[in-house]
């Protein structure tokens, strides 16, 4: 994986400061695996609109005040985390069910969700993506749903149209100029740059209720504490087969006027698969501590950096080794967090070689220094395995291609691993970037990094378009 900086065009529009600020924060939200709304992170002309940035604002991570270290994450100065239970933890049942997601999303399911979001008209299939809403000029509300399971969906209420020359409608942005007029998100709609105050938590939950009902998630656990500007984000962790979930969330953003202005999640419902043997919460907690106590990775007390391997065609130069004798520095001991309870639930994992939900213990961890508590998930399978893809996808913002090597650029998290798939067609190449959290169910530091992933095509790209599965839009060449 590389992290090369894509080039920028002289025609890139200057965005209002609130938009730029929201992009950096919007990439991460606490919890394992999210669909990052960063499609507007680069200005590229006709393929990008200021409305994309505005509509992405509800995905911001909220107030950055509070503990400097996210729950479940290692201390940057070297300390890990040790979880200690102050209650008796439950025993394991003999087995617990796993759930798989497969097949394709039906048009009727997309139409039901579109209606709940206030979008009229029948959904239409464009490549591997269902699209609902959006006028011919690209303006208006827009819902995209991946055709294949798990049916990742994204919704933007406000988008700006275009005049066919890369100029936005509803503002005075002109290609080749370095100034831009008013943002296209209406100021009374509750965007990150709009006026007004967020609605109450109860009002936000009420606004999100029709969307959750269309998804079959009426019984989901709701959290509406997160706000970004005048937008309140409702996070819904669905209940599947009577079991709570972690890391399979639906997020619905509600503006100051009570309307739904954004959202994302999975549309395809998980189906029960084979049962798995599971361990008790005590053993699962021991596994969690083995992974989170700071013993993995990091720099040792010496602080010596290892050499970067040279490429095969690079001259080696001198073979002498430079001695490394820095001043020793003490390592912080792991910090302790208190587990107040545990329930058996589900977390993203691999089921029969595909994406799904696997049994997991969900540990309720007390907040520190008066902060709210949080949930940490640990897979409960008696056979320890690496959690599989969460089913979340990340939108790209540009690409480059050489010698059949297609590289897609995107914004991602330091807490996840990414992979890219390409489906080649006669006139286009569909690309999908999958986000797999390194520690599913745990919160992640709120830091966006520019990343890129590469896939080898069967045939040269030629004049074929590169389409992003998550957004359904054409990506610009870097």
């Amino acid at each position: 994986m590389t992290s090369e900086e894509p080039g920028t065009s002289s025609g890139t529009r200057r965005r209002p400061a609130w938009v730029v600020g929201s992009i950096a924060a919007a990439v991460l939200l606490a919890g394992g695996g999210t669909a990052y709304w960063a499609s507007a992170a680069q200005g590229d002309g006709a393929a990008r609109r200021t409305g994309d940035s505005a509509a992405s604002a509800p995905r911001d991570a909220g107030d950055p005040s509070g503990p400097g270290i996210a729950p479940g994450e290692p201390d940057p100065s070297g300390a890990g985390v040790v979880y200690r239970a102050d209650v008796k933890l439950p025993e394991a049942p003999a087995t617990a069910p796993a759930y798989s997601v497969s097949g394709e999303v039906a048009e009727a399911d997309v139409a039901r969700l579109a209606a709940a979001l206030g979008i009229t008209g029948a959904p239409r299939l464009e490549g591997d993506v269902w699209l609902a809403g959006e006028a011919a000029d690209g303006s208006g509300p827009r819902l995209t749903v991946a055709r294949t399971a798990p049916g990742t969906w994204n919704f933007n209420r406000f988008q700006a149209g275009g005049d066919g020359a890369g100029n936005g409608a509803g503002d005075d942005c002109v290609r080749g100029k370095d100034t831009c007029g008013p943002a296209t998100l209406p100021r009374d709609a509750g965007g990150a740059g709009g006026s007004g105050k967020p609605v109450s938590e109860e009002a936000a939950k009420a606004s999100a209720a029709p969307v959750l009902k269309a998804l079959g998630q009426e019984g989901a656990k709701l959290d509406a504490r997160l706000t970004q500007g005048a937008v309140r984000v409702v996070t819904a962790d669905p209940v599947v087969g009577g079991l709570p979930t972690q890391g399979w969330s639906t997020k619905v953003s509600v503006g100051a006027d009570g309307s739904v202005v954004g959202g994302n999640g999975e549309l395809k419902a998980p189906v029960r698969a084979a049962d798995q043997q599971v361990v008790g919460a005590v053993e699962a907690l021991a596994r969690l501590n083995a992974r989170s106590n700071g013993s993995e990775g990091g720099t040792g007390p010496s602080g010596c950096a290892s050499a970067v391997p040279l490429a095969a065609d690079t001259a080696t130069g001198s073979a002498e080794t430079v001695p490394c004798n820095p001043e020793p520095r003490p390592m912080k001991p792991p910090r302790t967090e208190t587990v107040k309870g545990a329930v058996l639930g589900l977390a993203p994992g691999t089921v029969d070689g595909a994406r799904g939900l696997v049994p997991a213990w969900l540990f309720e961890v007390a907040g520190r220094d008066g902060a709210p508590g949080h949930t940490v998930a640990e897979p409960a399978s008696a056979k320890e395995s690496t959690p599989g893809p969460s089913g979340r996808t990340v939108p790209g913002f540009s690409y480059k291609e050489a010698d059949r090597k297609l590289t897609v650029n995107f914004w991602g998290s330091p807490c996840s691993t990414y992979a890219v798939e390409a489906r080649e067609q006669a006139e286009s190449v569909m690309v999908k970037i999958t986000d797999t959290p390194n520690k599913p169910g745990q919160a992640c530091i709120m830091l966006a990094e520019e990343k890129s992933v590469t896939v080898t095509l069967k045939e040269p790209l030629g004049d074929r378009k590169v389409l992003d599965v998550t957004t359904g839009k054409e990506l610009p060449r870097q």
Side-chain angles (χ1 to χ4, degrees), residues 162-187:
D163 59 5
N167 302 323
D171 58 30
D172 61 359
C173 296
V174 179
R175 291 285 293 163
K177 302 294 184 181
D178 64 351
T179 59
C180 184
T184 55
L185 178 62
R187 300 189 66 81

mmCIF file with all atom_site columns, all heavy atoms in Angstrom, residues 162-187:
data_model
loop_
_atom_site.group_PDB
_atom_site.id
_atom_site.type_symbol
_atom_site.label_atom_id
_atom_site.label_alt_id
_atom_site.label_comp_id
_atom_site.label_asym_id
_atom_site.label_entity_id
_atom_site.label_seq_id
_atom_site.pdbx_PDB_ins_code
_atom_site.Cartn_x
_atom_site.Cartn_y
_atom_site.Cartn_z
_atom_site.occupancy
_atom_site.B_iso_or_equiv
_atom_site.pdbx_formal_charge
_atom_site.auth_seq_id
_atom_site.auth_comp_id
_atom_site.auth_asym_id
_atom_site.auth_atom_id
_atom_site.pdbx_PDB_model_num
ATOM 1   N N   . GLY A 1 162 ? -24.534 20.800 -11.974 1.00 0.00 ? 162 GLY A N   1
ATOM 2   C CA  . GLY A 1 162 ? -23.458 21.356 -12.787 1.00 0.00 ? 162 GLY A CA  1
ATOM 3   C C   . GLY A 1 162 ? -24.014 21.847 -14.106 1.00 0.00 ? 162 GLY A C   1
ATOM 4   O O   . GLY A 1 162 ? -25.128 21.522 -14.498 1.00 0.00 ? 162 GLY A O   1
ATOM 5   N N   . ASP A 1 163 ? -23.171 22.608 -14.823 1.00 0.00 ? 163 ASP A N   1
ATOM 6   C CA  . ASP A 1 163 ? -23.617 23.124 -16.103 1.00 0.00 ? 163 ASP A CA  1
ATOM 7   C C   . ASP A 1 163 ? -22.979 22.400 -17.270 1.00 0.00 ? 163 ASP A C   1
ATOM 8   O O   . ASP A 1 163 ? -23.039 22.851 -18.407 1.00 0.00 ? 163 ASP A O   1
ATOM 9   C CB  . ASP A 1 163 ? -23.328 24.628 -16.198 1.00 0.00 ? 163 ASP A CB  1
ATOM 10  C CG  . ASP A 1 163 ? -21.834 24.928 -16.050 1.00 0.00 ? 163 ASP A CG  1
ATOM 11  O OD1 . ASP A 1 163 ? -21.050 23.966 -15.980 1.00 0.00 ? 163 ASP A OD1 1
ATOM 12  O OD2 . ASP A 1 163 ? -21.480 26.118 -16.025 1.00 0.00 ? 163 ASP A OD2 1
ATOM 13  N N   . GLY A 1 164 ? -22.335 21.258 -16.944 1.00 0.00 ? 164 GLY A N   1
ATOM 14  C CA  . GLY A 1 164 ? -21.694 20.490 -18.002 1.00 0.00 ? 164 GLY A CA  1
ATOM 15  C C   . GLY A 1 164 ? -20.269 20.927 -18.250 1.00 0.00 ? 164 GLY A C   1
ATOM 16  O O   . GLY A 1 164 ? -19.528 20.263 -18.974 1.00 0.00 ? 164 GLY A O   1
ATOM 17  N N   . ALA A 1 165 ? -19.829 22.042 -17.669 1.00 0.00 ? 165 ALA A N   1
ATOM 18  C CA  . ALA A 1 165 ? -18.463 22.527 -17.863 1.00 0.00 ? 165 ALA A CA  1
ATOM 19  C C   . ALA A 1 165 ? -17.660 22.452 -16.583 1.00 0.00 ? 165 ALA A C   1
ATOM 20  O O   . ALA A 1 165 ? -16.599 23.036 -16.460 1.00 0.00 ? 165 ALA A O   1
ATOM 21  C CB  . ALA A 1 165 ? -18.505 23.971 -18.371 1.00 0.00 ? 165 ALA A CB  1
ATOM 22  N N   . GLY A 1 166 ? -18.193 21.716 -15.601 1.00 0.00 ? 166 GLY A N   1
ATOM 23  C CA  . GLY A 1 166 ? -17.482 21.592 -14.342 1.00 0.00 ? 166 GLY A CA  1
ATOM 24  C C   . GLY A 1 166 ? -17.779 22.698 -13.375 1.00 0.00 ? 166 GLY A C   1
ATOM 25  O O   . GLY A 1 166 ? -17.142 22.818 -12.351 1.00 0.00 ? 166 GLY A O   1
ATOM 26  N N   . ASN A 1 167 ? -18.714 23.579 -13.698 1.00 0.00 ? 167 ASN A N   1
ATOM 27  C CA  . ASN A 1 167 ? -19.080 24.669 -12.810 1.00 0.00 ? 167 ASN A CA  1
ATOM 28  C C   . ASN A 1 167 ? -20.322 24.309 -12.026 1.00 0.00 ? 167 ASN A C   1
ATOM 29  O O   . ASN A 1 167 ? -21.263 23.751 -12.555 1.00 0.00 ? 167 ASN A O   1
ATOM 30  C CB  . ASN A 1 167 ? -19.344 25.958 -13.606 1.00 0.00 ? 167 ASN A CB  1
ATOM 31  C CG  . ASN A 1 167 ? -18.144 26.385 -14.422 1.00 0.00 ? 167 ASN A CG  1
ATOM 32  O OD1 . ASN A 1 167 ? -17.015 26.239 -13.969 1.00 0.00 ? 167 ASN A OD1 1
ATOM 33  N ND2 . ASN A 1 167 ? -18.396 26.888 -15.620 1.00 0.00 ? 167 ASN A ND2 1
ATOM 34  N N   . GLY A 1 168 ? -20.311 24.603 -10.716 1.00 0.00 ? 168 GLY A N   1
ATOM 35  C CA  . GLY A 1 168 ? -21.427 24.226 -9.873  1.00 0.00 ? 168 GLY A CA  1
ATOM 36  C C   . GLY A 1 168 ? -22.601 25.152 -10.049 1.00 0.00 ? 168 GLY A C   1
ATOM 37  O O   . GLY A 1 168 ? -22.467 26.342 -10.302 1.00 0.00 ? 168 GLY A O   1
ATOM 38  N N   . ALA A 1 169 ? -23.807 24.581 -9.911  1.00 0.00 ? 169 ALA A N   1
ATOM 39  C CA  . ALA A 1 169 ? -25.027 25.387 -9.907  1.00 0.00 ? 169 ALA A CA  1
ATOM 40  C C   . ALA A 1 169 ? -25.360 25.715 -8.474  1.00 0.00 ? 169 ALA A C   1
ATOM 41  O O   . ALA A 1 169 ? -25.224 24.886 -7.604  1.00 0.00 ? 169 ALA A O   1
ATOM 42  C CB  . ALA A 1 169 ? -26.165 24.622 -10.565 1.00 0.00 ? 169 ALA A CB  1
ATOM 43  N N   . GLY A 1 170 ? -25.834 26.902 -8.194  1.00 0.00 ? 170 GLY A N   1
ATOM 44  C CA  . GLY A 1 170 ? -26.171 27.291 -6.832  1.00 0.00 ? 170 GLY A CA  1
ATOM 45  C C   . GLY A 1 170 ? -25.037 28.003 -6.141  1.00 0.00 ? 170 GLY A C   1
ATOM 46  O O   . GLY A 1 170 ? -25.147 28.361 -4.990  1.00 0.00 ? 170 GLY A O   1
ATOM 47  N N   . ASP A 1 171 ? -23.891 28.193 -6.814  1.00 0.00 ? 171 ASP A N   1
ATOM 48  C CA  . ASP A 1 171 ? -22.813 28.987 -6.259  1.00 0.00 ? 171 ASP A CA  1
ATOM 49  C C   . ASP A 1 171 ? -22.169 29.740 -7.414  1.00 0.00 ? 171 ASP A C   1
ATOM 50  O O   . ASP A 1 171 ? -22.606 29.660 -8.546  1.00 0.00 ? 171 ASP A O   1
ATOM 51  C CB  . ASP A 1 171 ? -21.795 28.127 -5.485  1.00 0.00 ? 171 ASP A CB  1
ATOM 52  C CG  . ASP A 1 171 ? -21.180 27.038 -6.359  1.00 0.00 ? 171 ASP A CG  1
ATOM 53  O OD1 . ASP A 1 171 ? -21.071 27.259 -7.577  1.00 0.00 ? 171 ASP A OD1 1
ATOM 54  O OD2 . ASP A 1 171 ? -20.812 25.987 -5.813  1.00 0.00 ? 171 ASP A OD2 1
ATOM 55  N N   . ASP A 1 172 ? -21.106 30.507 -7.133  1.00 0.00 ? 172 ASP A N   1
ATOM 56  C CA  . ASP A 1 172 ? -20.455 31.243 -8.205  1.00 0.00 ? 172 ASP A CA  1
ATOM 57  C C   . ASP A 1 172 ? -19.073 30.687 -8.478  1.00 0.00 ? 172 ASP A C   1
ATOM 58  O O   . ASP A 1 172 ? -18.167 31.407 -8.883  1.00 0.00 ? 172 ASP A O   1
ATOM 59  C CB  . ASP A 1 172 ? -20.382 32.732 -7.866  1.00 0.00 ? 172 ASP A CB  1
ATOM 60  C CG  . ASP A 1 172 ? -19.583 32.992 -6.589  1.00 0.00 ? 172 ASP A CG  1
ATOM 61  O OD1 . ASP A 1 172 ? -19.118 32.017 -5.970  1.00 0.00 ? 172 ASP A OD1 1
ATOM 62  O OD2 . ASP A 1 172 ? -19.417 34.175 -6.228  1.00 0.00 ? 172 ASP A OD2 1
ATOM 63  N N   . CYS A 1 173 ? -18.889 29.363 -8.223  1.00 0.00 ? 173 CYS A N   1
ATOM 64  C CA  . CYS A 1 173 ? -17.602 28.740 -8.478  1.00 0.00 ? 173 CYS A CA  1
ATOM 65  C C   . CYS A 1 173 ? -17.376 28.613 -9.973  1.00 0.00 ? 173 CYS A C   1
ATOM 66  O O   . CYS A 1 173 ? -18.258 28.173 -10.707 1.00 0.00 ? 173 CYS A O   1
ATOM 67  C CB  . CYS A 1 173 ? -17.543 27.346 -7.838  1.00 0.00 ? 173 CYS A CB  1
ATOM 68  S SG  . CYS A 1 173 ? -17.651 27.386 -6.042  1.00 0.00 ? 173 CYS A SG  1
ATOM 69  N N   . VAL A 1 174 ? -16.211 28.991 -10.436 1.00 0.00 ? 174 VAL A N   1
ATOM 70  C CA  . VAL A 1 174 ? -15.863 28.902 -11.847 1.00 0.00 ? 174 VAL A CA  1
ATOM 71  C C   . VAL A 1 174 ? -14.530 28.194 -11.964 1.00 0.00 ? 174 VAL A C   1
ATOM 72  O O   . VAL A 1 174 ? -13.587 28.498 -11.227 1.00 0.00 ? 174 VAL A O   1
ATOM 73  C CB  . VAL A 1 174 ? -15.772 30.304 -12.496 1.00 0.00 ? 174 VAL A CB  1
ATOM 74  C CG1 . VAL A 1 174 ? -15.382 30.185 -13.966 1.00 0.00 ? 174 VAL A CG1 1
ATOM 75  C CG2 . VAL A 1 174 ? -17.093 31.034 -12.348 1.00 0.00 ? 174 VAL A CG2 1
ATOM 76  N N   . ARG A 1 175 ? -14.455 27.218 -12.858 1.00 0.00 ? 175 ARG A N   1
ATOM 77  C CA  . ARG A 1 175 ? -13.206 26.497 -13.064 1.00 0.00 ? 175 ARG A CA  1
ATOM 78  C C   . ARG A 1 175 ? -12.097 27.487 -13.431 1.00 0.00 ? 175 ARG A C   1
ATOM 79  O O   . ARG A 1 175 ? -12.281 28.385 -14.235 1.00 0.00 ? 175 ARG A O   1
ATOM 80  C CB  . ARG A 1 175 ? -13.378 25.476 -14.189 1.00 0.00 ? 175 ARG A CB  1
ATOM 81  C CG  . ARG A 1 175 ? -14.291 24.315 -13.836 1.00 0.00 ? 175 ARG A CG  1
ATOM 82  C CD  . ARG A 1 175 ? -13.599 23.341 -12.911 1.00 0.00 ? 175 ARG A CD  1
ATOM 83  N NE  . ARG A 1 175 ? -12.498 22.684 -13.619 1.00 0.00 ? 175 ARG A NE  1
ATOM 84  C CZ  . ARG A 1 175 ? -11.522 22.048 -13.016 1.00 0.00 ? 175 ARG A CZ  1
ATOM 85  N NH1 . ARG A 1 175 ? -11.464 22.010 -11.728 1.00 0.00 ? 175 ARG A NH1 1
ATOM 86  N NH2 . ARG A 1 175 ? -10.573 21.466 -13.714 1.00 0.00 ? 175 ARG A NH2 1
ATOM 87  N N   . GLY A 1 176 ? -10.913 27.263 -12.841 1.00 0.00 ? 176 GLY A N   1
ATOM 88  C CA  . GLY A 1 176 ? -9.771  28.110 -13.129 1.00 0.00 ? 176 GLY A CA  1
ATOM 89  C C   . GLY A 1 176 ? -9.669  29.306 -12.211 1.00 0.00 ? 176 GLY A C   1
ATOM 90  O O   . GLY A 1 176 ? -8.695  30.041 -12.256 1.00 0.00 ? 176 GLY A O   1
ATOM 91  N N   . LYS A 1 177 ? -10.675 29.526 -11.365 1.00 0.00 ? 177 LYS A N   1
ATOM 92  C CA  . LYS A 1 177 ? -10.636 30.625 -10.409 1.00 0.00 ? 177 LYS A CA  1
ATOM 93  C C   . LYS A 1 177 ? -10.355 30.074 -9.023  1.00 0.00 ? 177 LYS A C   1
ATOM 94  O O   . LYS A 1 177 ? -10.699 28.939 -8.699  1.00 0.00 ? 177 LYS A O   1
ATOM 95  C CB  . LYS A 1 177 ? -11.966 31.392 -10.395 1.00 0.00 ? 177 LYS A CB  1
ATOM 96  C CG  . LYS A 1 177 ? -12.366 31.962 -11.757 1.00 0.00 ? 177 LYS A CG  1
ATOM 97  C CD  . LYS A 1 177 ? -11.408 33.051 -12.220 1.00 0.00 ? 177 LYS A CD  1
ATOM 98  C CE  . LYS A 1 177 ? -11.878 33.676 -13.522 1.00 0.00 ? 177 LYS A CE  1
ATOM 99  N NZ  . LYS A 1 177 ? -10.944 34.730 -13.994 1.00 0.00 ? 177 LYS A NZ  1
ATOM 100 N N   . ASP A 1 178 ? -9.739  30.912 -8.170  1.00 0.00 ? 178 ASP A N   1
ATOM 101 C CA  . ASP A 1 178 ? -9.405  30.442 -6.833  1.00 0.00 ? 178 ASP A CA  1
ATOM 102 C C   . ASP A 1 178 ? -10.334 31.000 -5.781  1.00 0.00 ? 178 ASP A C   1
ATOM 103 O O   . ASP A 1 178 ? -9.993  31.073 -4.615  1.00 0.00 ? 178 ASP A O   1
ATOM 104 C CB  . ASP A 1 178 ? -7.947  30.807 -6.488  1.00 0.00 ? 178 ASP A CB  1
ATOM 105 C CG  . ASP A 1 178 ? -7.723  32.314 -6.439  1.00 0.00 ? 178 ASP A CG  1
ATOM 106 O OD1 . ASP A 1 178 ? -8.636  33.070 -6.831  1.00 0.00 ? 178 ASP A OD1 1
ATOM 107 O OD2 . ASP A 1 178 ? -6.623  32.701 -6.014  1.00 0.00 ? 178 ASP A OD2 1
ATOM 108 N N   . THR A 1 179 ? -11.504 31.415 -6.187  1.00 0.00 ? 179 THR A N   1
ATOM 109 C CA  . THR A 1 179 ? -12.493 31.883 -5.230  1.00 0.00 ? 179 THR A CA  1
ATOM 110 C C   . THR A 1 179 ? -13.776 31.124 -5.417  1.00 0.00 ? 179 THR A C   1
ATOM 111 O O   . THR A 1 179 ? -14.045 30.582 -6.481  1.00 0.00 ? 179 THR A O   1
ATOM 112 C CB  . THR A 1 179 ? -12.768 33.386 -5.394  1.00 0.00 ? 179 THR A CB  1
ATOM 113 O OG1 . THR A 1 179 ? -13.242 33.622 -6.711  1.00 0.00 ? 179 THR A OG1 1
ATOM 114 C CG2 . THR A 1 179 ? -11.510 34.203 -5.144  1.00 0.00 ? 179 THR A CG2 1
ATOM 115 N N   . CYS A 1 180 ? -14.569 31.079 -4.400  1.00 0.00 ? 180 CYS A N   1
ATOM 116 C CA  . CYS A 1 180 ? -15.813 30.319 -4.459  1.00 0.00 ? 180 CYS A CA  1
ATOM 117 C C   . CYS A 1 180 ? -16.868 31.025 -3.649  1.00 0.00 ? 180 CYS A C   1
ATOM 118 O O   . CYS A 1 180 ? -16.569 31.592 -2.589  1.00 0.00 ? 180 CYS A O   1
ATOM 119 C CB  . CYS A 1 180 ? -15.590 28.911 -3.909  1.00 0.00 ? 180 CYS A CB  1
ATOM 120 S SG  . CYS A 1 180 ? -17.043 27.862 -4.033  1.00 0.00 ? 180 CYS A SG  1
ATOM 121 N N   . GLY A 1 181 ? -18.080 30.996 -4.135  1.00 0.00 ? 181 GLY A N   1
ATOM 122 C CA  . GLY A 1 181 ? -19.184 31.660 -3.455  1.00 0.00 ? 181 GLY A CA  1
ATOM 123 C C   . GLY A 1 181 ? -19.755 30.814 -2.352  1.00 0.00 ? 181 GLY A C   1
ATOM 124 O O   . GLY A 1 181 ? -19.104 29.905 -1.840  1.00 0.00 ? 181 GLY A O   1
ATOM 125 N N   . PRO A 1 182 ? -20.999 31.042 -1.968  1.00 0.00 ? 182 PRO A N   1
ATOM 126 C CA  . PRO A 1 182 ? -21.616 30.348 -0.841  1.00 0.00 ? 182 PRO A CA  1
ATOM 127 C C   . PRO A 1 182 ? -21.634 28.844 -1.047  1.00 0.00 ? 182 PRO A C   1
ATOM 128 O O   . PRO A 1 182 ? -21.787 28.358 -2.166  1.00 0.00 ? 182 PRO A O   1
ATOM 129 C CB  . PRO A 1 182 ? -23.040 30.924 -0.813  1.00 0.00 ? 182 PRO A CB  1
ATOM 130 C CG  . PRO A 1 182 ? -22.954 32.212 -1.577  1.00 0.00 ? 182 PRO A CG  1
ATOM 131 C CD  . PRO A 1 182 ? -21.902 32.017 -2.607  1.00 0.00 ? 182 PRO A CD  1
ATOM 132 N N   . ALA A 1 183 ? -21.465 28.102 0.043   1.00 0.00 ? 183 ALA A N   1
ATOM 133 C CA  . ALA A 1 183 ? -21.560 26.653 -0.029  1.00 0.00 ? 183 ALA A CA  1
ATOM 134 C C   . ALA A 1 183 ? -22.972 26.256 -0.436  1.00 0.00 ? 183 ALA A C   1
ATOM 135 O O   . ALA A 1 183 ? -23.931 26.958 -0.143  1.00 0.00 ? 183 ALA A O   1
ATOM 136 C CB  . ALA A 1 183 ? -21.215 26.028 1.324   1.00 0.00 ? 183 ALA A CB  1
ATOM 137 N N   . THR A 1 184 ? -23.089 25.107 -1.104  1.00 0.00 ? 184 THR A N   1
ATOM 138 C CA  . THR A 1 184 ? -24.388 24.730 -1.651  1.00 0.00 ? 184 THR A CA  1
ATOM 139 C C   . THR A 1 184 ? -25.306 24.075 -0.636  1.00 0.00 ? 184 THR A C   1
ATOM 140 O O   . THR A 1 184 ? -26.460 23.850 -0.920  1.00 0.00 ? 184 THR A O   1
ATOM 141 C CB  . THR A 1 184 ? -24.195 23.774 -2.829  1.00 0.00 ? 184 THR A CB  1
ATOM 142 O OG1 . THR A 1 184 ? -23.414 22.659 -2.390  1.00 0.00 ? 184 THR A OG1 1
ATOM 143 C CG2 . THR A 1 184 ? -23.469 24.474 -3.969  1.00 0.00 ? 184 THR A CG2 1
ATOM 144 N N   . LEU A 1 185 ? -24.806 23.747 0.528   1.00 0.00 ? 185 LEU A N   1
ATOM 145 C CA  . LEU A 1 185 ? -25.673 23.202 1.566   1.00 0.00 ? 185 LEU A CA  1
ATOM 146 C C   . LEU A 1 185 ? -26.483 24.333 2.177   1.00 0.00 ? 185 LEU A C   1
ATOM 147 O O   . LEU A 1 185 ? -25.916 25.282 2.707   1.00 0.00 ? 185 LEU A O   1
ATOM 148 C CB  . LEU A 1 185 ? -24.845 22.511 2.657   1.00 0.00 ? 185 LEU A CB  1
ATOM 149 C CG  . LEU A 1 185 ? -25.597 21.922 3.839   1.00 0.00 ? 185 LEU A CG  1
ATOM 150 C CD1 . LEU A 1 185 ? -26.550 20.831 3.348   1.00 0.00 ? 185 LEU A CD1 1
ATOM 151 C CD2 . LEU A 1 185 ? -24.639 21.357 4.861   1.00 0.00 ? 185 LEU A CD2 1
ATOM 152 N N   . PRO A 1 186 ? -27.809 24.304 2.103   1.00 0.00 ? 186 PRO A N   1
ATOM 153 C CA  . PRO A 1 186 ? -28.612 25.395 2.654   1.00 0.00 ? 186 PRO A CA  1
ATOM 154 C C   . PRO A 1 186 ? -28.290 25.653 4.109   1.00 0.00 ? 186 PRO A C   1
ATOM 155 O O   . PRO A 1 186 ? -28.161 24.725 4.908   1.00 0.00 ? 186 PRO A O   1
ATOM 156 C CB  . PRO A 1 186 ? -30.055 24.873 2.490   1.00 0.00 ? 186 PRO A CB  1
ATOM 157 C CG  . PRO A 1 186 ? -29.978 23.906 1.354   1.00 0.00 ? 186 PRO A CG  1
ATOM 158 C CD  . PRO A 1 186 ? -28.632 23.262 1.467   1.00 0.00 ? 186 PRO A CD  1
ATOM 159 N N   . ARG A 1 187 ? -28.180 26.914 4.462   1.00 0.00 ? 187 ARG A N   1
ATOM 160 C CA  . ARG A 1 187 ? -27.755 27.253 5.819   1.00 0.00 ? 187 ARG A CA  1
ATOM 161 C C   . ARG A 1 187 ? -28.814 26.913 6.854   1.00 0.00 ? 187 ARG A C   1
ATOM 162 O O   . ARG A 1 187 ? -28.524 26.797 8.029   1.00 0.00 ? 187 ARG A O   1
ATOM 163 C CB  . ARG A 1 187 ? -27.405 28.745 5.889   1.00 0.00 ? 187 ARG A CB  1
ATOM 164 C CG  . ARG A 1 187 ? -26.295 29.144 4.949   1.00 0.00 ? 187 ARG A CG  1
ATOM 165 C CD  . ARG A 1 187 ? -25.852 30.573 5.213   1.00 0.00 ? 187 ARG A CD  1
ATOM 166 N NE  . ARG A 1 187 ? -25.231 30.714 6.520   1.00 0.00 ? 187 ARG A NE  1
ATOM 167 C CZ  . ARG A 1 187 ? -23.966 30.401 6.766   1.00 0.00 ? 187 ARG A CZ  1
ATOM 168 N NH1 . ARG A 1 187 ? -23.204 29.887 5.830   1.00 0.00 ? 187 ARG A NH1 1
ATOM 169 N NH2 . ARG A 1 187 ? -23.462 30.590 7.970   1.00 0.00 ? 187 ARG A NH2 1
#
